[in-house]
């Protein structure tokens, strides 16, 4: 949350979730001139007592780094994962406290997270409600490789960093709340002063979809395979890998199109770019069929380390709740609304669901067999419950 | 392999692969009057020195059971898994030795295994070749729950056992080799004398497909989820589980139809039966929408134990090569030939492939990073290699 912009000499930033990405941006915003308060749950003691060793190829080494202030949440907040707690529930207590202290001064929310449709619920409940708690939402994406050690002492960051934020809604999709575009410009300026390669997005929705393309295709295949991305790229696996990845990409393009993203805002060539940018990281040499003497060349990012896994797969392996909602469930919900078939994305959701339920129960310290116990819940699945000619619903 | 039938007082059986199912049928065929020789690889010493403790709810307890003879393979045979060694390669050395010893006497092969299209290669190479090595192939299926302990000492068998064999080809699909139907009847009679609930199938192909339906739908979802089947059936997962399972079933039905299995031989109602027979094992109460006071009722088999996993998932967890070819790859090959889209089955193949390659390398004791090393192999994927408008092939 960024509280106010130009007039004050020192902007106030309240940052929720001090993991790897959180440390990076807390550091950059602090360096850019903001007074940064971080809400820490699991690593409150660590941050307070010894600080965090922040090693960045781009921003240097900072041993024992601390934000300006560290606070514990007013209540025991769960990790800020939209699958467990929606964004608006996570920030609401802070916004209510802010309104009690300074009713005339509504802060701006900045969501830096993957996936789509992460803003609407918060926009409805916190911005356009009868008693607004925030001025508006900036919808953001970051391209970084950061890892926090499991004890929370150290954050490693590579050379790559890029940040992009836009207003919610995008000006192409609705009325932008008064002052929000200016708040966005001020936020980007602050991040740039801190050293971030930050840019304003004039239309964040297609940017969100572009970033989703990789996570919900290459990332999805790696996740279902439970293997590093690099193993998908070995010669003996490529034939089936390409078919699977392309299948996901075409489903995503189809949903994007029926959601109103036309070729102008979201060119179909993104699909080929996402496919090829990772394909050229294969240890095999790829020849273009139409001219077999030519090797496939495509713009790419840094080569994958052989053990690189998408973060959602690492969550899976550590038995932590996964970021399924913004990456997969929101896409499938849009597909159902617009009548698009997404068999592969559906299958990701179906086959992650039992693990997600198990991890959430572990986190709530519930009995592992809780699902065996009957309750009176009744559930109707209008799309999925048709079994041959026998529609069913179920109660448990 | 069953060597001759009616005239001899004691049929000779050579059994390849003494795992849980092998022990069960070696026991039953021996009891039925056959002289049973078993080829053992990993458990040769165990079988020879202490025998196997065979506990069956149906056939009683037999401590230290041994077949009539135990032989080591003429060479170090790998496990009889079609993904690693095709059936015809596994049996060929025995058939050649048999022909050298008694050229006029060709044995009958009995394949008891899951999946489809497991017979054709052996039929071409061993039965209808210029120098036939076998009289013909009996294509068999078994419905059993057996587990062998990891040390190979013990086999546990429940009360369930059913066996069905038919000629290959089925009389509805081609000319049955002379004498094969009689050999089939004799084999079934032998198994029944031993106590098996064995039946002749007049048309084994639809039986193979019917059994495949469960393995490649409920089994596939459990495999991709890496969770017991029972967890797919919890109320909070059912909506997505049903959609996924039904999706697999409809793909399978589509491939079966375009492969020539019409409604007479393979009724579409099998789909609903397979879906519902497992669905009613849910801990949730399922209500039929058209009459919400009625709970879903369907014929079913024994309830699932909460930890029951398909055997292919157990292979996956133990990092052993999986039975992918007959269960999935053959179906997808038929789908490509007949132009049927099978996005879900394709995704199973694509996401199992890196693990299968890794397990096969482990078994060959190759370097885990072997796939990183370049070789001059060149590969064209006509179906999968089309990337947008850039067809590619690759060399490694």
């Amino acid at each position: 949350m960024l509280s106010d912009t130009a007039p004050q000499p020192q902007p106030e930033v309240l940052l929720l979730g001090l993991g790897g990405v959180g440390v990076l941006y807390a550091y950059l915003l602090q360096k850019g001139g903001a007074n940064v308060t971080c809400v820490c749950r699991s690593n409150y003691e660590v941050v307070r007592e010894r600080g965090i060793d922040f090693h960045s190829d781009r921003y240097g080494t900072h041993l024992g780094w601390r934000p300006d202030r560290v606070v514990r949440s007013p209540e025991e907040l769960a990790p800020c994962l939209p699958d467990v707690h929606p964004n608006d529930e996570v920030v609401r207590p802070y916004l209510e406290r802010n309104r009690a202290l300074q009713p005339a001064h509504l802060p701006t929310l900045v969501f830096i997270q993957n996936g789509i449709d992460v803003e609407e619920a918060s926009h409805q409940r916190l911005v356009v409600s009868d008693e607004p708690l925030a001025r508006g939402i900036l919808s953001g994406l970051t391209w970084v490789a950061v890892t926090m050690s499991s004890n929370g002492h150290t954050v490693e960051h590579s050379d790559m960093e890029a940040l992009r934020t836009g207003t919610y809604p995008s000006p192409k999709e609705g009325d932008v709340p008064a002052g929000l575009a200016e708040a966005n410009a001020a936020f980007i300026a602050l991040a740039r002063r801190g050293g971030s390669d930050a840019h304003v997005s004039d239309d964040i929705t297609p940017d969100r979809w572009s970033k989703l393309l990789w996570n919900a295709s290459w990332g999805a295949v790696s996740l279902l395979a439970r293997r590093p991305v690099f193993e998908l790229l070995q010669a003996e696996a490529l034939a089936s890998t390409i078919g699977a990845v392309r299948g996901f990409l075409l489903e995503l393009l189809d949903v994007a199109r029926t959601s109103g993203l036309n070729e102008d805002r979201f060119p179909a060539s993104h699909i080929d770019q996402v496919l090829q940018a990772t394909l050229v990281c294969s240890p095999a040499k790829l020849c273009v069929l139409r001219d077999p003497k030519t090797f496939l060349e495509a713009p790419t990012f840094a080569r994958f380390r052989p053990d690189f896994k998408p973060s959602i797969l690492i969550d899976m392996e550590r038995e932590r709740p996964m970021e399924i909602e913004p990456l997969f469930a929101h896409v499938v919900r849009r597909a159902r609304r617009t009548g698009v078939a997404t068999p592969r994305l559906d299958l990701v959701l179906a086959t992650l669901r039992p693990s997600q339920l198990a991890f959430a129960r572990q986190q709530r310290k519930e009995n592992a067999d809780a699902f065996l116990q009957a309750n009176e819940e009744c559930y109707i699945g209008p799309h999925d419950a048709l079994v041959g000619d026998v529609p069913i619903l179920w109660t448990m």
Side-chain angles (χ1 to χ4, degrees), chain A residues 89-102:
Chain A
E89 286 183 17
V90 174
V91 298
R92 177 179 289 277
Y94 302 96
L95 294 173
E96 285 177 342
R97 186 158 168 74
N98 175 73
R99 191 176 56 183
L101 292 172
Q102 39 181 353

Side-chain angles (χ1 to χ4, degrees), chain A residues 15-284:
Chain A
L15 190 139
L16 300 169
L18 200 64
V21 171
V23 167
L24 171 62
Y25 284 106
Y27 168 81
L28 291 178
L29 295 171
Q30 190 185 44
K31 204 173 149 212
N35 187 34
V36 178
T37 304
C38 292
V39 181
C40 303
R41 194 182 69 108
S42 63
N43 57 352
Y44 175 81
E45 302 293 347
V46 167
V47 176
R48 211 179 157 86
E49 281 164 27
R50 68 177 296 288
I52 287 173
D53 300 336
F54 176 46
H55 303 275
S56 168
D57 293 342
R58 190 181 188 96
Y59 304 112
T61 289
H62 308 275
L63 301 177
W65 173 86
R66 284 186 186 85
D68 298 292
R69 276 192 302 167
V70 197
V71 296
R72 238 191 259 264
S73 67
E75 51 218 314
E76 277 296 287
L77 269 181
C80 308
L81 194 71
D83 281 78
V84 181
H85 295 277
N87 287 344
D88 64 288
E89 286 183 17
V90 174
V91 298
R92 177 179 289 277
Y94 302 96
L95 294 173
E96 285 177 342
R97 186 158 168 74
N98 175 73
R99 191 176 56 183
L101 292 172
Q102 39 181 353
H105 181 85
L106 295 186
T108 301
L109 304 174
V110 187
F111 294 166
I112 301 180
Q113 63 186 132
N114 285 327
I116 60 163
D117 293 339
V118 299
E119 315 93 343
E120 180 59 18
S122 299
H123 182 70
Q124 289 301 329
R125 290 175 196 156
L126 305 176
V127 178
V128 299
S129 75
D130 290 340
E131 297 191 344
L133 287 166
R135 172 202 287 180
I137 296 169
L138 299 179
S139 174
L141 294 164
T142 176
W143 289 260
V144 287
V146 278
T147 46
M148 178 175 259
S149 61
S150 55
N151 62 9
H153 291 190
T154 309
V155 168
E156 300 271 355
H157 170 239
S158 72
D159 188 51
M160 178 175 64
E161 189 278 331
L163 176 68
R164 194 171 282 197
T165 61
T167 60
Y168 184 84
S170 154
K172 306 215 173 187
E173 294 175 337
D175 294 329
V176 178
L180 192 57
E182 293 73 15
N184 192 21
F187 176 70
I188 291 295
L190 172 65
R192 291 182 73 88
R193 281 199 300 276
S196 167
D197 186 10
H199 292 270
V200 164
S201 168
D202 295 329
D203 187 10
I204 194 71
T205 308
D207 293 335
R208 300 199 79 84
W209 276 92
S210 294
K211 186 150 194 238
L212 178 70
L213 283 180
W214 193 93
N215 286 316
S217 63
W218 286 102
V221 176
S222 168
L223 174 64
L224 287 185
R226 314 288 200 275
R227 314 289 302 190
V229 173
F230 197 72
E231 287 193 28
L232 308 174
L233 294 169
Q234 58 184 306
E236 290 168 276
L238 266 180
S240 51
T241 296
I242 292 177
V245 171
R246 191 183 41 183
F248 277 108
L249 289 169
L250 291 172
E251 289 184 10
L252 293 162
L253 179 63
D254 204 357
V255 182
R257 282 284 182 273
T258 56
S259 295
L261 285 174
N262 58 19
E263 175 73 15
D264 279 350
R265 291 175 69 197
F266 190 64
S269 57
H270 283 358
I271 301 296
D272 274 1
Q273 287 158 13
V274 170
L275 186 49
Q276 295 184 12
T278 294
L279 211 47
V280 295
C281 302
S282 168

Side-chain angles (χ1 to χ4, degrees), chain A residues 242-374:
Chain A
I242 292 177
V245 171
R246 191 183 41 183
F248 277 108
L249 289 169
L250 291 172
E251 289 184 10
L252 293 162
L253 179 63
D254 204 357
V255 182
R257 282 284 182 273
T258 56
S259 295
L261 285 174
N262 58 19
E263 175 73 15
D264 279 350
R265 291 175 69 197
F266 190 64
S269 57
H270 283 358
I271 301 296
D272 274 1
Q273 287 158 13
V274 170
L275 186 49
Q276 295 184 12
T278 294
L279 211 47
V280 295
C281 302
S282 168
K285 285 178 188 156
L286 307 173
C287 306
V288 179
L289 262 189
R290 75 160 60 123
D291 176 8
K293 283 175 215 143
T294 314
F295 288 124
L296 177 70
E297 283 184 23
T300 188
F301 24 88
R303 302 264 141 180
F304 288 101
R305 292 196 335 204
D307 59 350
F308 171 77
K309 294 172 182 170
S311 60
I312 192 170
L313 175 52
I314 291 171
D315 288 338
M316 162 75 81
E317 291 175 345
R318 296 188 184 170
E319 308 204 338
R320 294 189 302 220
M322 298 167 281
E323 213 180 0
I324 297 174
E325 284 290 310
L327 292 180
F328 298 104
H330 289 327
V331 181
V332 166
R333 246 167 246 144
R334 280 181 177 267
R336 287 304 90 79
R337 282 205 299 273
T338 57
V340 172
T342 52
R344 296 169 188 84
L345 293 166
D346 295 359
L347 198 49
V348 172
L349 279 184
T351 60
L352 295 187
R353 185 112 180 104
S355 294
Q356 185 81 337
L357 290 167
F359 302 161
R361 281 185 197 114
Q362 278 169 31
Q363 203 174 65
R364 294 194 304 262
K365 303 199 183 345
E366 280 180 24
N367 186 322
D369 294 332
F371 64 89
L372 288 174
Q373 291 148 25

